């Protein structure tokens, strides 16, 4: 059993001739019986890294996963590939659960997905004590750390389950996003022994990143969707109320949209999720309750109707686009209210459990710091891809040409005097107030609080007649460039950094980029919202593609699985490119292995040959 066996399994079952970046190294480490931690971005193929070793090991592999939807998708996919797999979670009836336990005891499955809450139940532990368990895999491993963005207390019990086993199996853990602190927690809490740690590049080259600040988010979203050619996408909203409004708005405008949030009944959530996975609904409008582990490969865009709470969440959610390697679009529709909503949710969230007041204080402070960085991302005029990669400790070029900032024409404007006025105002109020108050003083607001505090008597009162948006942009620029900082308090204050004091003293020139084109919203519509090119950079025969998709949908409906489980869009597009007419040629299509050749080859070859004969 070696890496050559793994390559053979990759082609036979998954239909690929080569591993993606990092897959071969971590699979080889696991096959060498070494604990392993893989930190790989969404869409990088983490599941293959544990599924292939699981097939090669003599015993069973247990995969601990946080979400029912993830288990169902991956088990469906594995069974379609001819790999026996099952899951244990709350969606099973008692008789189904007991039947699955019995099948596990009889070694009918190679891979078993288990919810963390089920690990320490008596019948499951008793079952596992009699099994030959080769490996335990922890998916979404960042959930084990209180410093991660999706901490789940049930994950901390995983080590208790492992310690109950007579023989410790190989431990492998995977996550898409992990800071240094989270990585240390995963290694420590899971007690990984001299682990092989792989951090692949975080860059998703097929994703286009964009931030817009439209006056009307609803109209902007509609204009964006008109250019997506009925493709599949996700629209994330920060609240349930916004989900309801956006979904209804899209339905009124004849889009096949559905919704998902924690306020819906379980039955409706499941039905709506299935409608999206099975392409009955093209657009999923959801809170962040939807998505972790959703393995839908043909998502062409992810729109954040509101700014998310941190870069980790954003990159994970945006990464659900383009999982099959095709070009995809990730856009945030930003407004200042998004910052207010997220700040409120940090302070009043009922979803997070804290061990004590001190930990609560520290974690909330960390959440506010992450939100501040997310806000900076939405304000920067520099390369968005570079901002994300730098956040995760990776270096990147200044000009990716795959984000809105890199394709927008900017001109440098002198903001020296404006910056001096802003800094002077912050000094006059002794650095004791936030952005809104500073802007109101500078613009000469007559609101009651300013008059009561006597700020209308300050020398900086009313000295700027520019718009609130323009002044806020300059303040954000000064924060991003370390002239100012915002505290992590519940009510953030603006403080001066040494760089600001030096700027005032030395009277240096300061310039800021502003868009040189007339309407920044039009840039997003015309330059970046056009239909994506295929990842293979070839002309696709659309008529043949329609016929292949129709056949795929027919097969998927018959088997009761999502269409992408039969073949990913990228495989169908490669069929359109290569136009195979025999089994040997069909095996050369990316995503076609021996199992799928035997199962579907004749059906797809017949459609292709019939189409070619009519040309």
């Amino acid at each position: 059993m070696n890496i050559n066996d793994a390559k053979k399994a990759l082609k036979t079952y998954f239909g690929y001739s080569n591993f993606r970046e990092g897959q071969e190294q971590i699979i080889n480490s696991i096959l060498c019986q070494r604990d392993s931690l893989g930190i790989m971005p969404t869409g990088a193929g983490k599941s293959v890294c544990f599924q292939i070793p699981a097939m090669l090991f003599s015993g069973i592999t247990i995969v601990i996963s946080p979400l029912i939807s993830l288990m169902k998708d991956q088990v469906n996919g594995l069974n379609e590939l001819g790999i026996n797999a099952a899951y244990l979670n709350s969606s099973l009836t008692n008789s189904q659960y007991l039947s699955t336990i019995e099948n596990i005891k009889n070694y009918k499955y190679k891979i078993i997905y288990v919810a963390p809450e089920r690990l320490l139940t008596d019948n499951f532990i008793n079952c596992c004590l009699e099994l030959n368990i080769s490996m335990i895999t922890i998916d979404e491993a960042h959930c084990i750390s209180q410093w991660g963005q999706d901490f789940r207390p049930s994950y901390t019990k995983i080590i208790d389950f492992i310690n109950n086993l007579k023989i410790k199996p190989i431990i492998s853990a995977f996550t898409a996003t992990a800071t240094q602190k989270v990585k240390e927690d995963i290694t420590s809490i899971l007690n990984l022994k001299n682990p092989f740690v792989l951090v692949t590049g975080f860059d998703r080259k097929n994703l286009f990143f964009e931030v817009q600040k439209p006056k009307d988010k609803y109209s902007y979203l509609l204009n964006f969707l008109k250019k997506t050619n009925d493709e599949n996408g996700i629209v994330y909203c920060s609240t349930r109320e916004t989900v309801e409004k956006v979904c209804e708005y899209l339905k009124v405008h004849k889009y096949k949209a559905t919704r998902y949030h924690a306020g819906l009944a379980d039955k409706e959530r499941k039905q709506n999720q299935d409608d999206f996975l099975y392409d009955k609904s093209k657009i999923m409008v959801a809170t962040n309750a939807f998505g972790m582990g959703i393995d839908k490969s043909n998502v062409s865009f992810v729109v954040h109707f509101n700014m998310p709470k941190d870069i980790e969440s954003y990159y994970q959610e945006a990464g659900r686009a383009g999982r099959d390697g095709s070009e995809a679009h990730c856009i945030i529709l930003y407004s200042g209210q998004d910052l207010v909503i997220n700040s409120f949710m940090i302070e009043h969230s009922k979803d997070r459990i804290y061990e004590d007041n001190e930990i609560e204080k520290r974690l909330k402070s960390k959440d506010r710091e992450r939100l501040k960085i997310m806000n900076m991302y939405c304000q920067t005029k520099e390369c968005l891809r570079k901002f994300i990669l730098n956040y995760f400790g990776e270096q990147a070029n200044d000009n990716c040409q795959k984000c809105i900032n890199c394709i927008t024409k900017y001109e440098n404007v002198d903001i020296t005097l404006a910056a001096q006025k802003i800094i002077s105002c912050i000094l006059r109020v002794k650095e004791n107030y936030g952005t809104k108050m500073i802007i109101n003083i500078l613009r000469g607001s007559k609101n009651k609080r300013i008059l009561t505090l006597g700020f209308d008597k300050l020398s900086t009162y009313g000295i700027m007649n520019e718009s609130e948006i323009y002044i806020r942009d300059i303040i954000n620029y000064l924060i991003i460039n370390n002239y100012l900082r915002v505290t992590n308090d519940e009510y953030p204050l603006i403080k001066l950094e040494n760089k600001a004091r030096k700027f005032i003293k030395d009277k240096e020139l300061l310039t800021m980029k502003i868009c040189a084109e007339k309407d920044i919203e039009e840039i997003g519509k015309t330059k970046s919202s056009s239909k994506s090119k295929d990842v293979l950079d070839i002309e696709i025969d659309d008529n043949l593609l329609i016929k292949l998709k129709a056949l795929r949908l027919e097969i998927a409906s018959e088997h009761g699985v999502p269409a992408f489980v039969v073949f990913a869009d990228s495989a169908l597009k490669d069929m359109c490119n290569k136009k195979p007419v025999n089994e040997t040629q069909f095996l050369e299509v990316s995503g076609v292995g021996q199992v799928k050749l035997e199962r579907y080859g004749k059906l797809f070859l017949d459609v292709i040959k019939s189409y070619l004969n009519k040309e």
Side-chain angles (χ1 to χ4, degrees):
M1 184 175 61
N2 54 41
I3 198 64
N4 290 326
D5 297 316
K7 288 178 179 177
K8 184 178 178 181
L10 179 72
K11 181 58 183 173
T12 300
Y13 290 98
F14 296 93
Y16 300 110
S17 300
N18 298 300
F19 287 111
R20 294 185 190 179
E21 180 187 357
Q23 288 179 330
E24 183 171 339
Q25 296 98 303
I26 202 158
I27 288 172
N28 188 55
S29 169
I30 293 170
L31 292 178
C32 291
Q33 309 284 311
R34 187 175 175 188
D35 287 351
S36 301
L37 169 59
I39 301 171
M40 308 163 75
T42 302
K46 293 185 288 296
S47 57
V48 167
C49 295
F50 57 82
Q51 288 170 351
I52 285 183
M55 290 149 52
L56 298 177
F57 285 142
S58 60
I60 289 171
T61 289
I62 294 174
V63 180
I64 299 166
S65 175
L67 293 179
I68 291 171
S69 56
L70 169 65
M71 299 184 203
K72 183 180 177 183
D73 288 348
Q74 297 216 352
V75 167
N76 280 341
L78 288 168
N79 287 328
E80 275 293 304
L81 294 172
I83 303 165
N84 292 331
Y87 56 78
L88 292 172
N89 58 46
S90 60
S91 71
L92 300 179
T93 65
N94 188 53
S95 61
Q96 288 173 327
Y97 184 83
L98 294 176
S99 174
T100 303
I101 288 285
E102 197 59 35
N103 287 337
I104 291 171
K105 290 178 180 177
N106 293 323
Y107 288 90
K108 290 192 175 180
Y109 311 117
K110 285 295 290 179
I111 303 176
I112 303 151
Y113 283 78
V114 185
E117 295 81 6
R118 296 272 164 171
L119 290 175
L120 296 178
T121 57
D122 290 341
N123 56 0
F124 185 68
I125 286 180
N126 291 335
C127 169
C128 290
L129 290 175
E130 306 303 321
L131 295 176
N132 172 20
I133 300 174
S134 295
M135 178 169 68
I136 292 176
T137 295
I138 297 91
D139 203 9
E140 308 291 352
H142 62 275
C143 294
I144 207 167
S145 172
Q146 285 197 350
W147 302 104
Q149 76 275 17
D150 290 305
F151 172 62
R152 294 177 181 241
S154 58
Y155 261 57
T156 61
K157 305 297 183 184
I158 292 173
I159 190 62
D160 295 334
F161 168 73
I162 295 171
N163 289 338
N164 271 319
L165 300 176
K166 295 174 182 177
I167 300 174
K168 183 190 174 187
I170 302 159
I171 307 298
S172 60
F174 296 88
T175 180
T177 54
T179 60
Q180 183 62 31
K181 175 62 177 171
V182 172
K183 184 167 68 173
E184 290 170 0
D185 271 2
I186 294 170
T187 303
S188 172
I189 295 171
L190 291 176
N191 195 24
L192 301 183
K193 300 297 185 184
N194 185 31
F196 172 75
V197 179
L198 174 76
V199 182
T200 62
F202 283 94
D203 193 9
R204 292 281 306 283
K205 293 181 173 62
N206 61 317
L207 301 185
F208 184 97
F209 294 101
E210 180 172 359
V211 177
Q212 291 291 349
K213 302 174 184 177
K215 299 181 184 75
D216 183 342
K217 291 187 179 185
Y218 290 89
S219 296
Y220 190 93
L221 177 61
L222 207 60
N223 287 328
F224 173 81
L225 293 177
K226 287 175 183 176
K227 298 178 181 293
T228 61
N229 296 289
D230 200 33
E231 293 169 331
N232 292 279
I234 304 171
V235 179
Y236 279 108
C237 305
S238 59
T239 66
R240 301 175 189 180
E241 181 183 5
T242 308
V243 167
E244 296 288 345
K245 289 180 179 178
V246 172
C247 187
E248 184 59 30
Y249 179 81
L250 294 181
K251 286 181 176 179
V252 167
H253 287 86
K254 310 303 181 187
Y255 283 95
K256 294 177 181 177
T258 190
R259 59 185 181 160
Y260 190 105
H261 60 70
L264 301 176
D266 289 346
K267 184 177 180 181
E268 183 182 350
R269 276 206 310 273
K270 182 179 184 302
Q271 183 60 56
N272 293 349
Q273 178 172 289
D274 285 348
D275 286 348
F276 180 62
L277 291 175
Y278 287 75
D279 290 349
K280 293 177 183 177
S281 295
K282 290 288 188 178
I283 301 172
M284 172 59 80
V285 185
T287 62
N288 62 4
F290 174 81
M292 187 163 67
I294 294 298
D295 196 19
K296 185 174 171 66
S297 65
N298 60 340
V299 174
S300 296
F301 62 87
V302 172
V303 175
H304 279 80
F305 199 78
N306 307 104
M307 178 185 70
K309 60 188 173 71
D310 51 55
I311 294 289
E312 291 95 335
S313 298
Y314 175 62
Y315 204 47
Q316 189 173 61
E317 290 160 7
R320 287 166 194 143
R323 291 176 70 103
D324 63 354
S326 297
E327 298 285 316
H329 201 119
C330 308
I331 178 171
I332 296 175
L333 304 182
Y334 175 89
S335 72
Q337 188 64 19
D338 297 337
L339 187 61
V340 175
I341 292 171
N342 276 306
S343 297
F344 179 86
M345 292 172 76
I346 288 171
E347 300 306 324
H348 302 94
S349 174
K350 297 178 182 178
D351 298 329
R352 197 162 187 176
I353 300 171
Y354 302 98
E355 291 181 14
D356 55 50
N357 290 336
E358 184 58 34
I359 288 178
E360 179 179 0
K361 183 178 178 181
R362 285 163 53 201
L363 292 180
K364 283 185 175 180
S365 176
K366 183 66 177 175
D367 287 343
R368 287 192 290 267
E369 175 67 21
R370 284 199 286 245
L371 176 59
K372 183 169 70 175
I373 295 170
M374 185 72 242
N375 193 57
M376 289 167 63
Y377 171 85
C378 292
Q379 305 298 339
T380 186
K381 301 293 194 301
E382 306 303 322
C383 175
L384 295 175
R385 175 172 268 98
K386 180 180 180 181
F387 189 105
I388 292 171
L389 296 180
N390 284 354
Y391 178 81
F392 290 113
E394 212 171 288
Q395 296 302 309
N397 296 327
D398 288 321
N399 192 352
C400 72
Q401 287 300 304
K402 290 289 291 292
C403 77
I404 190 66
N405 287 354
C406 287
I407 66 169
T408 299
K409 291 182 181 178
Y410 288 105
E411 61 184 24
N412 284 318
V413 173
D414 187 342
I415 60 165
T416 306
L417 182 58
Q420 288 171 346
K421 291 176 180 178
I422 291 167
I423 291 170
S424 179
C425 185
I426 295 168
L427 280 170
R428 295 291 185 279
V429 297
K430 300 182 174 20
E431 304 175 63
N432 282 330
Y433 294 89
T435 302
K436 183 66 175 176
M437 176 65 85
I438 299 300
I439 292 173
N440 284 341
I441 294 170
L442 289 165
R443 298 186 75 235
S445 169
K446 299 187 185 301
N447 75 42
K448 185 177 179 180
R449 189 165 182 233
I450 284 180
L451 299 179
T452 301
L453 291 169
F455 288 163
D456 57 325
K457 305 296 192 296
L458 295 174
S459 60
T460 52
Y461 179 78
I463 61 172
M464 295 186 75
N465 56 14
E466 291 88 348
S467 71
E468 178 176 341
I469 292 174
Y470 180 71
I471 298 173
R472 190 178 292 275
D473 279 348
I474 295 176
I475 290 174
N476 286 326
Y477 173 85
L478 294 173
I479 292 169
I480 291 170
N481 289 278
N482 301 314
Y483 290 87
L484 306 176
R485 67 179 174 86
V486 180
T487 65
N488 283 340
D489 305 307
E490 183 175 351
Y491 301 102
L493 310 177
I494 299 183
K495 302 286 187 180
L496 301 186
E497 297 282 34
N498 289 334
K499 196 173 178 181
R501 302 177 197 281
K502 186 175 185 300
F503 162 73
I504 292 291
K505 180 182 176 183
D506 297 345
K507 298 180 180 179
E508 63 180 276
L509 177 70
L510 195 59
T511 61
M512 180 181 78
K513 287 181 179 178
I514 66 165
C515 181
E517 308 202 25
K518 291 183 179 179
D519 192 339
I520 186 65
E521 291 188 26
E522 288 303 316
I523 294 172
K525 293 174 191 175
T526 59
K527 288 189 177 180
S528 61
S529 300
S530 58
K531 185 177 179 182
S532 299
K533 291 171 62 181
D534 183 70
V535 69
L536 299 172
D537 199 26
I538 55 172
E539 289 296 322
I540 297 299
D541 188 328
D542 288 334
N543 292 324
L544 177 56
L545 184 60
I546 289 169
K547 292 182 180 297
L548 295 177
K549 283 187 174 181
L551 173 60
R552 179 181 66 173
L553 182 59
E554 182 183 331
I555 295 170
S557 300
E558 184 181 326
H559 288 228
V561 297
F564 64 84
V565 170
V566 178
F567 279 120
D569 281 8
S570 55
L572 297 188
K573 290 172 182 176
D574 203 25
M575 290 180 204
C576 292
N577 174 37
K578 292 174 179 170
K579 294 185 174 66
V581 293
N582 57 50
E583 291 188 351
T584 301
Q585 292 174 350
F586 197 66
L587 273 174
E588 293 175 0
V589 172
S590 178
V592 175
Q594 190 64 39
V595 174
K596 291 201 173 182
L597 169 66
E598 294 170 2
R599 191 167 288 185
Y600 308 126
K602 184 178 185 308
L603 295 171
F604 280 88
L605 284 170
D606 285 349
V607 169
I608 294 168
K609 286 187 282 189
S610 174
Y611 178 80
L612 292 175
N613 289 335
K614 291 179 181 178
E615 280 191 320

